[in-house]
Coordinates of all heavy atoms in Angstrom, one line a residue:
D160 N -62.7 49.7 41.2 CA -61.6 50.6 41.1 C -61.2 51.1 42.5 O -62.0 51.0 43.5 CB -62.0 51.8 40.2 CG -62.2 51.4 38.8 OD1 -61.5 50.5 38.3 OD2 -63.0 52.1 38.1
P161 N -60.0 51.6 42.7 CA -59.6 52.0 44.0 C -60.5 52.9 44.8 O -60.7 52.7 46.0 CB -58.2 52.7 43.7 CG -57.7 51.9 42.6 CD -58.9 51.6 41.7
P162 N -61.2 53.9 44.1 CA -62.1 54.8 44.9 C -63.3 54.1 45.4 O -63.9 54.6 46.4 CB -62.5 55.8 43.8 CG -61.4 55.8 42.8 CD -61.0 54.4 42.7
V163 N -63.7 52.9 44.8 CA -65.0 52.3 45.2 C -64.8 50.9 45.8 O -65.7 50.3 46.3 CB -66.0 52.3 44.1 CG1 -66.3 53.7 43.6 CG2 -65.4 51.4 42.9
A164 N -63.6 50.4 45.7 CA -63.3 49.0 46.2 C -63.5 49.0 47.7 O -63.1 49.9 48.5 CB -61.9 48.5 45.9
D165 N -64.1 47.8 48.2 CA -64.3 47.7 49.7 C -64.1 46.2 50.0 O -64.9 45.3 49.6 CB -65.7 48.1 50.0 CG -66.0 48.0 51.5 OD1 -65.1 47.5 52.3 OD2 -67.0 48.5 52.0
F166 N -63.0 45.9 50.7 CA -62.7 44.5 51.0 C -63.7 43.9 51.9 O -63.8 42.7 52.0 CB -61.3 44.4 51.6 CG -60.2 44.6 50.7 CD1 -58.9 44.6 51.2 CD2 -60.4 44.8 49.3 CE1 -57.8 44.9 50.3 CE2 -59.3 45.0 48.5 CZ -58.0 45.1 49.0
L167 N -64.5 44.7 52.6 CA -65.6 44.2 53.5 C -67.0 44.6 53.0 O -67.9 44.8 53.8 CB -65.4 44.8 54.9 CG -64.0 44.5 55.6 CD1 -63.9 45.2 56.9 CD2 -63.9 43.0 55.7
D168 N -67.1 44.7 51.7 CA -68.3 45.2 51.1 C -69.5 44.2 51.6 O -69.4 43.0 51.6 CB -68.2 45.0 49.6 CG -68.9 46.2 48.9 OD1 -70.1 46.5 49.3 OD2 -68.3 46.8 47.9
P169 N -70.6 44.8 52.0 CA -71.7 44.0 52.5 C -72.6 43.4 51.4 O -73.5 42.7 51.7 CB -72.5 45.0 53.4 CG -72.2 46.3 52.8 CD -70.8 46.3 52.3
V170 N -72.4 43.8 50.2 CA -73.2 43.3 49.1 C -72.3 42.6 48.1 O -71.1 42.7 48.1 CB -73.9 44.5 48.3 CG1 -74.8 45.2 49.3 CG2 -72.9 45.5 47.7
L171 N -73.0 41.8 47.3 CA -72.3 40.9 46.3 C -72.1 41.6 44.9 O -71.2 41.2 44.1 CB -72.9 39.6 46.2 CG -73.1 38.7 47.4 CD1 -73.8 37.4 47.1 CD2 -71.7 38.5 48.0
I172 N -73.0 42.5 44.6 CA -72.9 43.2 43.4 C -73.4 44.6 43.6 O -74.3 44.8 44.4 CB -73.7 42.5 42.3 CG1 -73.7 43.3 40.9 CG2 -75.2 42.3 42.7 CD1 -74.3 42.5 39.8
K173 N -72.8 45.6 42.9 CA -73.3 47.0 43.1 C -73.0 47.8 41.8 O -72.3 47.3 40.9 CB -72.5 47.6 44.2 CG -71.0 47.7 44.1 CD -70.3 48.3 45.3 CE -68.8 48.4 45.2 NZ -68.2 48.9 46.4
V174 N -73.6 49.0 41.7 CA -73.3 49.9 40.6 C -72.2 50.8 41.1 O -72.3 51.4 42.2 CB -74.6 50.7 40.3 CG1 -74.3 51.7 39.2 CG2 -75.7 49.7 39.7
V175 N -71.2 51.0 40.3 CA -70.1 51.9 40.6 C -69.8 52.9 39.5 O -70.2 52.7 38.4 CB -68.8 51.1 40.8 CG1 -68.9 50.1 42.0 CG2 -68.4 50.3 39.6
R176 N -69.2 54.0 39.9 CA -68.7 55.0 39.0 C -67.3 54.6 38.6 O -66.4 54.4 39.5 CB -68.7 56.4 39.6 CG -68.2 57.5 38.6 CD -68.3 58.9 39.2 NE -67.9 59.9 38.3 CZ -68.7 60.5 37.4 NH1 -70.0 60.2 37.4 NH2 -68.2 61.4 36.6
L177 N -66.9 54.5 37.4 CA -65.6 54.1 36.9 C -64.7 55.3 37.0 O -65.0 56.4 36.6 CB -65.7 53.6 35.4 CG -66.7 52.5 35.2 CD1 -66.7 52.1 33.7 CD2 -66.5 51.3 36.1
D178 N -63.5 55.0 37.5 CA -62.5 56.1 37.6 C -61.8 56.4 36.3 O -62.0 55.6 35.3 CB -61.5 55.9 38.8 CG -60.4 54.9 38.5 OD1 -60.3 54.4 37.3 OD2 -59.6 54.6 39.4
A179 N -61.0 57.5 36.2 CA -60.5 57.9 35.0 C -59.5 56.9 34.4 O -59.5 56.6 33.2 CB -59.8 59.3 35.2
A180 N -58.7 56.3 35.3 CA -57.7 55.3 34.8 C -58.4 54.1 34.2 O -58.0 53.5 33.2 CB -56.8 54.9 35.9
C181 N -59.5 53.7 34.8 CA -60.3 52.5 34.3 C -60.9 52.8 32.9 O -60.8 52.0 32.0 CB -61.3 52.1 35.3 SG -62.4 50.8 34.7
R182 N -61.5 54.0 32.8 CA -62.1 54.4 31.5 C -61.0 54.5 30.4 O -61.3 54.2 29.3 CB -62.9 55.7 31.7 CG -64.1 55.5 32.6 CD -64.9 56.8 32.8 NE -65.6 57.1 31.6 CZ -65.6 58.3 31.0 NH1 -64.9 59.3 31.5 NH2 -66.3 58.5 30.0
T183 N -59.9 55.0 30.8 CA -58.8 55.2 29.8 C -58.3 53.8 29.3 O -58.0 53.6 28.2 CB -57.6 55.9 30.4 OG1 -58.1 57.3 30.8 CG2 -56.5 56.0 29.4
Q184 N -58.3 52.8 30.3 CA -57.9 51.5 29.9 C -58.9 50.9 28.9 O -58.5 50.2 27.9 CB -57.8 50.5 31.1 CG -57.5 49.1 30.7 CD -57.5 48.2 31.9 OE1 -57.2 48.5 33.0 NE2 -57.8 46.9 31.7
Q185 N -60.1 51.1 29.1 CA -61.2 50.6 28.1 C -60.9 51.2 26.7 O -61.1 50.6 25.7 CB -62.6 50.9 28.6 CG -62.9 50.5 30.0 CD -62.4 49.1 30.4 OE1 -62.7 48.2 29.7 NE2 -61.7 49.0 31.5
L186 N -60.5 52.5 26.7 CA -60.2 53.1 25.4 C -58.9 52.5 24.8 O -58.9 52.2 23.6 CB -60.0 54.6 25.7 CG -59.7 55.5 24.4 CD1 -60.9 55.5 23.5 CD2 -59.4 56.9 24.8
N187 N -57.9 52.3 25.6 CA -56.7 51.7 25.2 C -56.8 50.3 24.7 O -56.1 49.9 23.7 CB -55.6 51.8 26.3 CG -55.2 53.2 26.6 OD1 -55.3 54.1 25.8 ND2 -54.6 53.4 27.8
D188 N -57.8 49.6 25.3 CA -58.0 48.2 24.8 C -58.8 48.1 23.5 O -59.0 47.0 23.0 CB -58.8 47.5 25.9 CG -58.0 47.1 27.1 OD1 -56.8 47.1 27.0 OD2 -58.6 46.7 28.2
G189 N -59.2 49.3 23.0 CA -59.9 49.3 21.7 C -61.4 49.0 21.8 O -62.0 48.8 20.8
C190 N -61.9 49.1 23.0 CA -63.3 48.9 23.2 C -64.2 50.0 22.7 O -65.4 49.8 22.4 CB -63.6 48.6 24.6 SG -62.7 47.2 25.3
F191 N -63.6 51.2 22.7 CA -64.3 52.4 22.3 C -63.5 53.3 21.5 O -62.2 53.3 21.6 CB -64.8 53.2 23.6 CG -65.8 52.4 24.5 CD1 -65.3 51.7 25.5 CD2 -67.1 52.5 24.3 CE1 -66.1 50.9 26.3 CE2 -68.0 51.8 25.1 CZ -67.5 51.0 26.1

Side-chain angles (χ1 to χ4, degrees):
D160 293 329
V163 298
D165 183 350
F166 290 175
L167 300 177
D168 221 314
V170 298
L171 301 179
I172 179 173
K173 62 185 180 182
V174 175
V175 296
R176 182 178 180 87
L177 306 180
D178 78 2
C181 176
R182 295 179 72 229
T183 299
Q184 179 183 329
Q185 310 313 310
L186 183 67
N187 292 339
D188 282 346
C190 301
F191 298 91

